[in-house]
Amino acid sequence: PLYLERMGMRAIGRVLSIHHKTVSRWLVQAAQALPASSPQTEACSFIEIDELCTFIAKKNLNVGLASGGSIFGKVLGFVCGRRTIKTGKLLWQQIKHLPTMGYGTDMLKADENFIPHAKHYAGKTFTTQIESLNCRLRHYLARLHRKTLCYSKSKTMLEVSLKLLIHKLNNP
């Protein structure tokens, strides 16, 4: 719980008087113990797709997110990678099976390469809910804060952190 409430691994280690690597191992074990996310089968009226920019060491990285359904705020899929067509297609593979009336994205050119044109709505007005979700993710995870000393040193730990937080947010 401490980790998902804005405390970094080193801070948790100091509070509990343990090494931060122990905290890291606990987080990996907790993420591995989570049940495989059950695929969403109910129809989503609209699915929003967006990216969240963060850093791994000194390199810029984006987290592709998809959210939608009758109750917005639920994450339907995520992928860590650069803002490329390849990363977008990986996210698309997670959500393309969901019945929906449309997909809302910001105006990222890569999205045009895999989202069907007839169902693609581009513009900031189509991503308001997922932008709010991005804000919630930044609020809960210290490593996603802007202008912070906490950052991810490995893609694996970023994925572990997101998996734990998304599980918490999707299953209140």
Side-chain angles (χ1 to χ4, degrees):
L2 295 175
Y3 186 69
L4 299 177
E5 295 295 339
R6 304 178 75 175
M7 284 187 78
M9 289 186 285
R10 290 181 187 274
I12 294 170
R14 284 191 300 272
V15 169
L16 300 177
S17 300
I18 57 174
H19 198 274
H20 68 276
K21 291 284 187 183
T22 303
V23 176
S24 175
R25 282 191 298 276
W26 288 349
L27 293 174
V28 170
Q29 290 170 354
Q32 290 171 343
L34 289 177
S37 58
S38 55
Q40 172 133 351
T41 55
E42 66 184 55
C44 299
S45 56
F46 198 73
I47 295 175
E48 296 183 9
I49 301 170
D50 195 23
E51 71 281 340
L52 173 73
C53 185
T54 188
F55 292 90
I56 292 182
K58 294 181 179 179
K59 297 186 180 185
N60 193 9
L61 183 86
N62 286 286
V63 178
L65 296 167
S67 173
S70 54
I71 303 171
F72 275 102
K74 184 171 184 177
V75 178
L76 303 175
F78 79 93
V79 160
C80 295
R82 301 223 175 260
R83 289 179 80 174
T84 62
I85 295 169
K86 181 181 175 183
T87 303
K89 285 183 177 181
L90 290 173
L91 180 60
W92 179 248
Q93 292 302 315
Q94 295 179 25
I95 62 170
K96 71 178 184 179
H97 68 281
L98 299 173
T100 185
M101 293 173 55
Y103 302 93
T105 67
D106 50 14
M107 291 159 271
L108 185 62
K109 275 288 196 202
D111 296 334
E112 297 172 358
N113 291 287
F114 49 88
I115 298 175
H117 182 70
K119 290 188 173 187
H120 187 198
Y121 300 90
K124 289 293 181 185
T125 56
F126 302 109
T127 59
T128 56
Q129 297 297 320
I130 200 161
E131 294 290 356
S132 174
L133 178 65
N134 285 352
C135 187
R136 286 178 63 204
L137 293 175
R138 287 191 190 282
H139 171 78
Y140 283 110
L141 280 182
R143 66 181 59 227
L144 295 178
H145 291 189
R146 295 175 190 222
K147 296 184 181 181
T148 181
L149 295 176
C150 295
Y151 61 91
S152 298
K153 293 182 182 173
S154 77
K155 184 177 174 184
T156 302
M157 282 309 296
L158 177 61
E159 289 169 340
V160 163
S161 300
L162 286 167
K163 185 175 180 180
L164 290 168
L165 180 58
I166 288 168
H167 179 77
K168 174 187 173 181
L169 295 176
N170 282 354
N171 303 291

